[in-house]
Amino acid sequence: MIFSYSLFCLSLLLPPFSRASRDYSEKLQLQPLPPASLLASFNFRSNASLSSFEQQHFNFIPRSLGQILQHAKTRELHLRFSTGRWDAESWGARPWGGSKEGGTGVELWAWVEADTEEEAFARWITLNHALSGLFCASLNFIDSTKTTRPVMTFQPVGDHSDASLANLHLLHGTLPHEVVCTENLTPFLKLLPCKGKAGISSLLDGHKLFDASWQSMAIDVRPVCPSDSSECIVEMEQTVDMVLDIERSKRPKGNPIPRPVPREELVCDESKWYNADHTCYPLDVSQGQEWSLSRIFGRPIKGTCLVEASDEPDAYPVCINIPNERDLFTSQGVIEHKDPLGFSRCYTLPEKQDFELVHPKQDSQTNSPIYPPPLYAERSITGHGQERGGVRTLLTNPSLDSAVEFVYLESLPWFMKPYLHTLKVQILGESSQSSSIIKDIYYRPSVDRHRGTQLEVLMMIPAASTATLTYDFEKAILRYTEYPPDANRGFDVAPAVIRLISPTSHDTSDSTYLRTTSLLLPLPTPDFSMPYNVIILTSTVIALAFGNIFNLLVRRFVAADEVEGYSTVKVKVFVKARLAVLMAKLFRAKSEKKTQ
């Protein structure tokens, strides 16, 4: 009887663990980058059936986020936290094709179900306020002035029926001034099943993540319907990408102050004509540097998190892109799987012990390939003065044989008023403006203090060409109460979003995205010391006038002889005595002058 009861209890425990391999997976991808950097991409995927999600039976998808999406009628959500700048010239193409990347600060876009645009915007505001409290971010500041409705840039990634698409409204908002820090990482980790205590998430430490040269955190929730007509699922994907400087990350905690490399340890490029004893051009030594997970992240991987041993790709949660000819050392009991192409290998994680990965110092002439991005984009502000300015975007197609088609999205604040007739696109090296580059334009003008400017341009750049997109704008004058505390620093302008359109694939989930850097816009700033001086002077005058009037109204005036215990004779005697003393001093002074 006891044995049968034990089997019954075991049967109740087995289904959740068997479902764990299908409903939850995690992956860590490591990629050395020049010069002396390491790209670490963390991916966590949780699934739940659509019926259980609608009935609020939450298992791997957290209840805190699921109830927010249900209350705000949000059918698809994409949230990004990003800091730093991706160096495309050195690091190549972005991870995940840029689909998991956001602009500097916080970026959010979602498809909300509603009958009218007013109802959709009300639910959008509810979603922003709820996510603001969940992730300890300032998402509640995304109001109508920071909200746009893109038409060509974003497409639904999830599977939606035609009936539901008719009532879905896309809303997009950005906060380029938001500072991403540890208080945003903590709620991010709490959404994971193991809460950052086991599995690859145990490597995520705020001190290492926010010390990276570039980092991005992403959360994507979407419905997915399998092709075999089985039940649809709700998929939540969490992604963390960071580029760590190897030398900076290896500094010990007790001595984190950077110090120059000793002269005898410098590795210089002797082929440079200016190479000498007092000049050195450092070589790229990232491919042969010594590093390990414990030294880079400060700790090894703490076991596994709901991952079973199998032959599926999810059974190898740690992968690194280095040539197979290089040496790598791991913990005992780890299974290694090498890619047939010879540039990647993956490892399993031990269940009850730490996983360590060591890359010893070694010399190798073979490096993993770094693919260039399909498009280079740089944006800057031109002009001078406090009244007008301009924006110049440099777009380069590195391909030698094929043109690139993309959508360029600008979300400008309402106080930055562009002149649409000044919009020009020109190929460098050509004297005249090419009319065949711009295919379509969607423009939504701003309304002062109600909404910003939305500009979407469908463009196509020929092969091996560089195009410049320019336009002029006018700066508005704000009210003195609308300036932030650091008004002289300037105002942040959200990065431009670029979606590349593939001529062969129509799958929106495989779209490639780029983000430019944010801009710093100086506006006419009043002298805030003058209102301060006026306030101080006015307050002083009011205080003096009020004090005198208050004394006249409240103080009681009486005759001296009416005061009890007051004698005029004593006053007269006191005054005469003081006068006699003064007269004696005067006569004495005169007599002394005469004797002299």
Side-chain angles (χ1 to χ4, degrees):
M1 182 66 180
I2 297 177
F3 180 72
S4 62
Y5 179 74
S6 301
L7 290 178
F8 174 72
C9 294
L10 184 62
S11 65
L12 293 179
L13 293 175
L14 283 178
F17 287 101
S18 63
R19 291 194 304 267
S21 61
R22 300 191 303 269
D23 294 342
Y24 177 76
S25 62
E26 57 184 23
K27 191 90 171 180
L28 170 60
Q29 190 78 28
L30 302 175
Q31 169 71 51
L33 296 176
S37 299
L38 180 67
L39 170 63
S41 297
F42 298 78
N43 181 259
F44 311 91
R45 186 169 297 178
S46 304
N47 299 330
S49 63
L50 186 60
S51 59
S52 64
F53 181 81
E54 293 177 349
Q55 296 173 4
Q56 297 193 5
H57 293 165
F58 300 102
N59 189 10
F60 293 105
I61 295 181
R63 179 183 298 271
S64 57
L65 181 60
Q67 290 184 340
I68 291 175
L69 300 180
Q70 291 179 353
H71 179 71
K73 302 294 183 183
T74 304
R75 303 310 176 200
E76 188 171 327
L77 172 72
H78 303 276
L79 178 61
R80 304 288 185 267
F81 298 89
S82 302
T83 57
R85 172 183 172 270
W86 178 267
D87 188 1
E89 294 183 358
S90 301
W91 301 338
R94 288 164 167 80
W96 314 102
S99 60
K100 309 296 182 184
E101 177 190 352
T104 303
V106 179
E107 184 176 355
L108 171 67
W109 69 96
W111 277 265
V112 180
E113 184 179 3
D115 296 331
T116 60
E117 292 188 357
E118 291 75 13
E119 184 181 3
F121 182 75
R123 291 176 177 175
W124 166 256
I125 295 298
T126 301
L127 176 66
N128 293 337
H129 283 70
L131 293 177
S132 175
L134 180 62
F135 292 101
C136 298
S138 303
L139 292 168
N140 55 309
F141 285 95
I142 298 180
D143 53 8
S144 61
T145 60
K146 299 179 177 65
T147 301
T148 57
R149 300 173 182 268
V151 176
M152 299 183 290
T153 307
F154 297 100
Q155 299 295 329
V157 182
D159 299 325
H160 304 276
S161 61
D162 296 337
S164 62
L165 282 175
N167 294 327
L168 291 183
H169 298 262
L170 170 61
L171 296 103
H172 175 267
T174 57
L175 288 175
H177 190 59
E178 181 75 5
V179 178
V180 185
C181 58
T182 309
E183 62 185 8
N184 307 123
L185 176 63
T186 302
F188 183 91
L189 293 178
K190 289 183 178 180
L191 299 179
L192 298 174
C194 296
K195 315 297 181 184
K197 304 298 182 182
I200 64 174
S201 62
S202 59
L203 294 180
L204 293 175
D205 178 69
H207 297 86
K208 297 293 183 178
L209 176 62
F210 298 107
D211 193 41
S213 303
W214 173 84
Q215 68 87 15
S216 177
M217 296 189 301
I219 295 180
D220 300 280
V221 182
R222 59 168 185 164
V224 177
C225 296
S227 57
D228 56 359
S229 301
S230 58
E231 183 181 7
C232 298
I233 63 174
V234 177
E235 180 185 87
M236 184 183 74
E237 191 172 2
Q238 297 177 248
T239 308
V240 179
D241 299 310
M242 65 180 84
V243 177
L244 299 169
D245 185 273
I246 295 178
E247 287 296 331
R248 183 183 180 91
S249 300
K250 290 194 302 184
R251 294 173 190 163
K253 293 184 178 180
N255 189 17
I257 300 176
R259 289 176 172 82
V261 179
R263 180 179 178 181
E264 59 274 8
E265 297 181 9
L266 286 174
V267 181
C268 304
D269 187 359
E270 298 180 357
S271 63
K272 300 295 183 181
W273 62 269
Y274 50 79
N275 181 67
D277 294 337
H278 59 281
T279 57
C280 175
Y281 184 83
L283 284 173
D284 178 20
V285 295
S286 61
Q287 305 296 341
Q289 275 190 326
E290 177 188 2
W291 56 269
S292 64
L293 292 180
S294 298
R295 298 190 65 184
I296 294 293
F297 296 97
R299 66 191 71 168
I301 298 178
K302 304 292 184 180
T304 61
C305 178
L306 303 179
V307 177
E308 293 181 343
S310 65
D311 295 333
E312 298 179 359
D314 294 339
Y316 299 92
V318 178
C319 296
I320 179 171
N321 295 336
I322 62 171
N324 291 342
E325 63 185 37
R326 292 192 183 179
D327 296 330
L328 278 179
F329 302 104
T330 60
S331 305
Q332 296 181 356
V334 175
I335 302 176
E336 182 184 43
H337 173 73
K338 292 186 177 181
D339 186 71
L341 298 178
F343 292 101
S344 176
R345 65 187 77 178
C346 298
Y347 300 93
T348 60
L349 292 179
E351 294 185 4
K352 298 182 179 180
Q353 63 180 6
D354 296 345
F355 173 81
E356 180 63 288
L357 180 66
V358 179
H359 180 277
K361 186 176 182 180
Q362 52 192 316
D363 296 331
S364 177
Q365 301 299 327
T366 305
N367 299 323
S368 297
I370 297 179
Y371 301 99
L375 184 72
Y376 293 96
E378 298 179 4
R379 189 175 65 148
S380 59
I381 288 183
T382 61
H384 57 86
Q386 300 293 330
E387 185 178 0
R388 292 182 178 86
V391 173
R392 181 175 183 266
T393 305
L394 200 65
L395 303 165
T396 303
N397 180 12
S399 178
L400 300 177
D401 52 3
S402 60
V404 58
E405 186 179 12
F406 59 91
V407 179
Y408 180 85
L409 169 65
E410 287 267 25
S411 300
L412 305 177
W414 64 267
F415 47 78
M416 185 176 175
K417 303 177 181 298
Y419 296 121
L420 190 61
H421 70 280
T422 62
L423 178 65
K424 298 178 181 179
V425 179
Q426 185 175 356
I427 300 294
L428 290 183
E430 297 183 2
S431 58
S432 61
Q433 181 181 356
S434 177
S435 59
S436 61
I437 299 178
I438 298 180
K439 304 297 182 180
D440 194 7
I441 294 179
Y442 178 84
Y443 177 70
R444 190 184 187 205
S446 64
V447 177
D448 287 356
R449 298 176 178 85
H450 288 284
R451 75 182 185 200
T453 301
Q454 177 182 337
L455 174 64
E456 290 182 273
V457 183
L458 178 62
M459 305 169 56
M460 177 177 288
I461 298 180
S465 301
T466 300
T468 57
L469 184 148
T470 59
Y471 61 87
D472 299 332
F473 64 88
E474 182 181 7
K475 303 177 184 179
I477 298 178
L478 306 181
R479 300 167 183 165
Y480 82 95
T481 56
E482 296 174 338
Y483 285 91
D486 54 346
N488 291 290
R489 172 185 174 272
F491 291 79
D492 291 275
V493 180
V497 182
I498 301 174
R499 181 175 77 92
L500 278 74
I501 301 176
S502 175
T504 58
S505 176
H506 299 282
D507 188 3
T508 57
S509 60
D510 296 335
S511 299
T512 301
Y513 286 88
L514 302 176
R515 261 85 173 178
T516 64
T517 55
S518 58
L519 299 178
L520 196 60
L521 175 66
L523 287 182
T525 305
D527 185 3
F528 288 101
S529 64
M530 297 307 295
Y532 173 79
N533 297 334
V534 172
I535 292 173
I536 294 300
L537 179 61
T538 305
S539 301
T540 303
V541 173
I542 292 177
L544 293 175
F546 176 78
N548 293 331
I549 295 174
F550 182 79
N551 288 333
L552 292 175
L553 294 177
V554 176
R555 183 175 294 178
R556 180 183 176 187
F557 296 92
V558 296
D561 55 356
E562 296 181 5
V563 179
E564 185 178 356
Y566 184 84
S567 175
T568 58
V569 178
K570 295 181 179 180
V571 176
K572 292 178 180 179
V573 172
F574 176 77
V575 173
K576 289 180 178 181
R578 298 302 296 175
L579 290 174
V581 172
L582 292 175
M583 294 298 293
K585 289 182 178 181
L586 291 175
F587 288 129
R588 189 181 305 113
K590 291 181 179 180
S591 61
E592 291 178 355
K593 288 183 179 180
K594 290 180 179 180
T595 55
Q596 293 177 359

